Amino acid sequence: MAPARDEHLDAIRARMAAHSPPLHALVVPSEDAHQSEYVSEQDKRRQFISGFTGSAGFPNLADEAVIGINPWCISIDSAQRYEHAFSKKHQTLFQLSSDLVDEVWKDRPLVEPRPVIVHPVEFAGRSVPEKIKELREKLVHEKATAIIITALDEVAWLYNIRGSDVDYSPVVHSYAIVTLHSAFFYVDKRKVTVEIQKYMSGNGIEIREYETVQSDANLLASGKLQSSVHVEKDMNEVESSKIWIDSGSCCLALYSKLSPHQVLVLQSPIALPKAVKNPTELDGLRKAHIRDGAAVVQYLAWLDNQMQENYGASGYFSEIKGSHKKENLPTKLTEVSVSDKLEGFRATKENFKGLSFPTISSVGPNAAIIHYNPEASTCSEMDADKIYLCDSGAQYLDGTTDITRTVHFGRPSEHEKSCYTAVLKGHIALDIAVFPNGTTGHALDILSRAPLWREGLDYRHGTGHGIGSYLNVHEGPHLISFRPSARNVPLQASMTVTDEPGYYEDGSFGIRLENVLICKEANAKFNFGDKGYLAFEHITWAPYQTKLIDTKLLTPVEIDWVNTYHSDCRKILEPHLNEQEKQWLMKATEPIAASS
């Protein structure tokens, strides 16, 4: 551990010992006050104090220990889980009035007042008044008078705004409170332009300073929260003073401002309408994925050429052993340098705004690390004799993308081929699934795993997650997974979800294939039980490497699926490519046939 980090830990431990009561441990979560997956630089407390970027861990503590927590950085659900776990040893979770990490973080990055931006209806598809009206109807239905919205993507979706406060997610650090007759937007007012001021006022929304959400939560609880923006009353009063919160995203600090008897704890009413995309959002997502697919093909064609020229690779198409790597390369290709090139291809596309998550560009053993994060100073050099896995995505004004392809620029082993083919079979099985309304992702997860299970293989992650519309790349409330939470929300038409089975052999290689799917009504011959049936439409376009496919292991239906997909790839992507790239794509999508 670095000396500076040792000093920071010593300083924190001194504050823990001096605290009243003395603290035996300090929980430092990776989330911010909004329970975000990706956080801004000034909110990376755990990384600052430990250098640790993996999953959470807990020390063994003595009985009756007091454990400190910043109540702004922990959700109600997490706090309750911690309290339950700690209570078994009579340990106490203590809410701190200030963050001890912030006290010793002297060079903590300053908050940059990046402007709030309107997300036009031409991309959003629905107006703010329409969304707020629907939200208020849900409040009335649940006999609630108000809701506190804390998740950044939910505030952005409801008010049709975007920002750049957090890398990879186009959101604004903000809160919203919506009552039956008023609406509030809590944000650093330095980020508010004249345009935003007029926009919010025109939609009946009052802008208040970010920090005042604390005092306004108190006022809301006492029935004294008033707005200076006049709004026509279009909702009937309800005989209740319930305040709706989502315990998965609302922090303990705000929850503590409310009386337990007046809190309605339910999944946010915004989560589902945000997940069920409207026609404009679906159209935008399809278009964004076409441009993104073109960038991925341009990247693979470029990388194929580079690997052959500089690393003696046999290339994307050939299994004949290549020549030796060139000596004294002027610039060697690394996991990071090639992923930067991919970003460059994407940056040329219309409506590109940035990446949707850090690119997982991984060679050989690194590809076996599911959430590998290459660093320029320590990453591996490209290797023609090892599998290369690239999981990447981008943010466009009209949609968010997430795609994974796995390739080999040399001669893959028969074992690598059989593993790749098993993953492909699971990938296809989910893509062609037809299932009744009311089916959850928990029930579908097995479809992608079954081909791997038959070989005694599996993978330790979920199979699919929702995708935002120029929002978070990982979006709920639905998912396809073996985890119990996947039972909570059935899939619905117009939801998006990824299809990403994989296989990872520690110390050797990793394989993952990922497309984004849109859930749609199925054209089923019958309709047993009058349930209605659903199917999927894939909107991701990039070829699968046919030399990694063992066609002996594919059924005729699977072979036809691959050939149809590749034919569609050519038709859809060719208009976006130059002649050389078209020729590469033509070869990459040549039909495959069953092996004898």
Side-chain angles (χ1 to χ4, degrees):
M1 185 173 289
R5 196 160 286 134
D6 284 338
E7 293 176 9
H8 297 147
L9 286 172
D10 289 343
I12 285 180
R13 286 175 177 137
R15 283 166 169 77
M16 290 166 60
H19 192 274
S20 180
L23 303 176
H24 298 85
L26 180 70
V27 176
V28 184
S30 44
E31 293 80 14
D32 59 13
H34 306 269
Q35 306 308 301
S36 307
E37 177 183 13
Y38 297 113
V39 299
S40 60
E41 291 299 317
Q42 65 266 23
D43 286 321
K44 294 181 178 178
R45 295 177 179 87
R46 191 180 67 175
Q47 182 175 326
F48 161 75
I49 203 62
S50 68
F52 180 58
T53 57
S55 299
F58 290 96
N60 291 318
L61 301 172
D63 290 354
E64 301 183 6
V66 176
I67 303 160
I69 185 71
N70 176 356
W72 286 98
C73 294
I74 187 169
S75 70
I76 301 164
D77 283 348
S78 295
Q80 290 174 343
R81 285 196 297 269
Y82 291 159
E83 286 177 339
H84 176 73
F86 295 152
S87 66
K88 292 179 181 179
K89 288 190 174 184
H90 308 288
Q91 296 162 345
T92 304
L93 190 65
F94 187 88
Q95 295 187 42
L96 301 172
S97 58
S98 63
D99 195 298
L100 300 189
V101 175
D102 291 353
E103 291 180 11
V104 304
W105 195 354
K106 302 303 182 186
D107 58 349
R108 185 183 176 202
L110 298 174
V111 175
E112 295 183 38
R114 297 168 178 168
V116 181
I117 300 166
V118 174
H119 191 51
V121 174
E122 66 181 276
F123 295 122
R126 296 179 64 195
S127 69
V128 175
E130 182 184 356
K131 291 179 179 181
I132 292 179
K133 184 176 184 293
E134 181 184 85
L135 176 58
R136 286 176 173 147
E137 288 170 352
K138 291 177 180 177
L139 293 178
V140 170
H141 182 266
E142 296 294 341
K143 296 181 171 55
T145 56
I147 180 171
I148 301 176
I149 303 162
T150 54
L152 300 182
D153 64 327
E154 293 189 357
V155 178
W157 180 87
L158 179 65
Y159 288 163
N160 282 352
I161 56 166
R162 298 296 188 267
S164 55
D165 286 353
V166 179
D167 289 342
Y168 312 112
S169 299
V171 293
V172 181
H173 282 137
S174 57
Y175 297 94
I177 292 179
V178 176
T179 73
L180 296 181
H181 308 299
S182 58
F184 302 88
F185 177 49
Y186 298 88
V187 66
D188 182 339
K189 286 191 175 181
R190 293 177 299 170
K191 302 174 184 178
V192 177
T193 62
V194 173
E195 178 194 7
I196 289 294
Q197 182 70 56
K198 292 179 179 178
Y199 169 81
M200 289 292 178
S201 178
N203 283 302
I205 302 163
E206 180 175 340
I207 301 174
R208 295 194 173 181
E209 279 290 353
Y210 181 79
E211 291 80 6
T212 60
V213 71
Q214 304 178 54
S215 56
D216 278 9
N218 277 327
L219 291 172
L220 182 65
S222 61
K224 298 177 181 178
L225 182 60
Q226 300 293 325
S227 174
S228 61
V229 176
H230 176 72
V231 180
E232 293 294 334
K233 294 188 177 182
D234 58 354
M235 288 289 156
N236 295 324
E237 300 294 336
V238 296
E239 295 180 4
S240 168
S241 60
K242 292 287 186 181
I243 300 168
W244 193 329
I245 60 168
D246 185 324
S247 58
S249 59
C250 183
C251 66
L252 186 60
L254 281 179
Y255 176 69
S256 300
K257 304 290 182 183
L258 311 173
S259 299
H261 73 273
Q262 67 181 162
V263 173
L264 176 66
V265 179
L266 286 175
Q267 178 183 282
S268 169
I270 295 172
L272 198 56
K274 177 167 59 66
V276 178
K277 304 296 186 278
N278 62 57
T280 299
E281 291 173 318
L282 292 176
D283 182 60
L285 281 162
R286 291 185 182 101
K287 291 176 178 176
H289 278 80
I290 291 171
R291 297 192 302 274
D292 198 66
V296 171
V297 167
Q298 290 173 319
Y299 170 63
L300 289 174
W302 169 84
L303 186 56
D304 181 21
N305 180 67
Q306 291 293 308
M307 292 300 292
Q308 291 184 65
E309 284 195 358
N310 298 310
Y311 285 79
S314 55
Y316 187 91
F317 305 107
S318 174
E319 291 190 58
I320 300 173
K321 188 171 179 60
S323 58
H324 294 293
K325 170 185 170 183
K326 285 185 179 179
E327 297 295 330
N328 303 317
L329 285 175
T331 304
K332 69 178 182 179
L333 300 179
T334 69
E335 292 167 327
V336 169
S337 69
V338 297
S339 69
D340 288 345
K341 185 70 175 181
L342 173 56
E343 182 176 358
F345 283 119
R346 282 187 163 120
T348 66
K349 305 307 177 191
E350 182 184 9
N351 294 333
F352 176 79
K353 302 300 290 183
L355 301 183
S356 56
F357 60 95
T359 299
I360 301 172
S361 175
S362 50
V363 174
N366 294 337
I369 303 170
I370 295 171
H371 294 118
Y372 175 66
N373 182 25
E375 299 286 347
S377 59
T378 58
C379 70
S380 295
E381 187 175 1
M382 297 296 289
D383 191 327
D385 296 320
K386 295 176 182 176
I387 272 181
Y388 173 64
L389 184 156
C390 186
D391 185 347
S392 65
Q395 295 285 6
Y396 301 91
L397 284 173
D398 48 354
T400 302
T401 69
D402 187 358
I403 175 175
T404 307
R405 290 296 184 265
T406 302
V407 299
H408 199 302
F409 293 103
R411 187 172 186 176
S413 69
E414 291 304 310
H415 176 58
E416 288 170 332
K417 286 184 183 180
S418 66
C419 291
Y420 181 96
T421 307
V423 172
L424 177 62
K425 288 169 73 72
H427 181 73
I428 295 171
L430 180 60
D431 182 278
I432 65 176
V434 177
F435 49 95
N437 269 307
T439 301
T440 66
H442 191 272
L444 295 178
D445 184 73
I446 191 175
L447 297 176
S448 292
R449 295 181 193 274
L452 289 149
W453 286 355
R454 282 194 285 270
E455 304 300 322
L457 306 176
D458 203 351
Y459 51 97
R460 296 188 182 96
H461 59 73
T463 300
H465 57 81
I467 292 276
S469 179
Y470 185 40
L471 266 179
N472 291 355
V473 71
H474 298 139
E475 181 178 87
H478 61 292
L479 68 160
I480 299 176
S481 177
F482 59 90
R483 295 183 176 87
S485 57
R487 296 191 183 104
N488 295 344
V489 180
L491 296 181
Q492 296 184 27
S494 298
M495 280 182 168
T496 57
V497 69
T498 59
D499 172 6
E500 51 179 312
Y503 173 65
Y504 311 90
E505 198 155 290
D506 291 345
S508 185
F509 65 87
I511 296 164
R512 185 161 62 252
L513 298 172
E514 178 183 17
N515 285 350
V516 172
L517 311 176
I518 292 174
C519 195
K520 64 178 184 179
E521 293 183 1
N523 186 26
K525 184 177 180 180
F526 301 105
N527 184 20
F528 181 81
D530 292 325
K531 294 179 178 180
Y533 285 73
L534 300 173
F536 291 118
E537 167 198 350
H538 47 251
I539 60 173
T540 300
W541 303 106
Y544 305 95
Q545 191 176 30
T546 55
K547 85 172 183 184
L548 270 171
I549 300 174
D550 185 344
T551 55
K552 297 191 301 295
L553 303 177
L554 294 184
T555 66
V557 169
E558 292 164 342
I559 289 174
D560 183 63
W561 185 96
V562 171
N563 288 336
T564 300
Y565 178 88
H566 278 165
S567 176
D568 290 341
C569 264
R570 287 195 301 275
K571 296 173 187 174
I572 290 168
L573 298 183
E574 278 187 348
H576 303 269
L577 305 174
N578 64 32
E579 284 304 315
Q580 187 176 359
E581 293 158 351
K582 287 178 185 178
Q583 290 302 314
W584 187 94
L585 179 61
M586 182 69 70
K587 193 171 182 180
T589 56
E590 288 178 351
I592 60 173
S595 300
S596 56

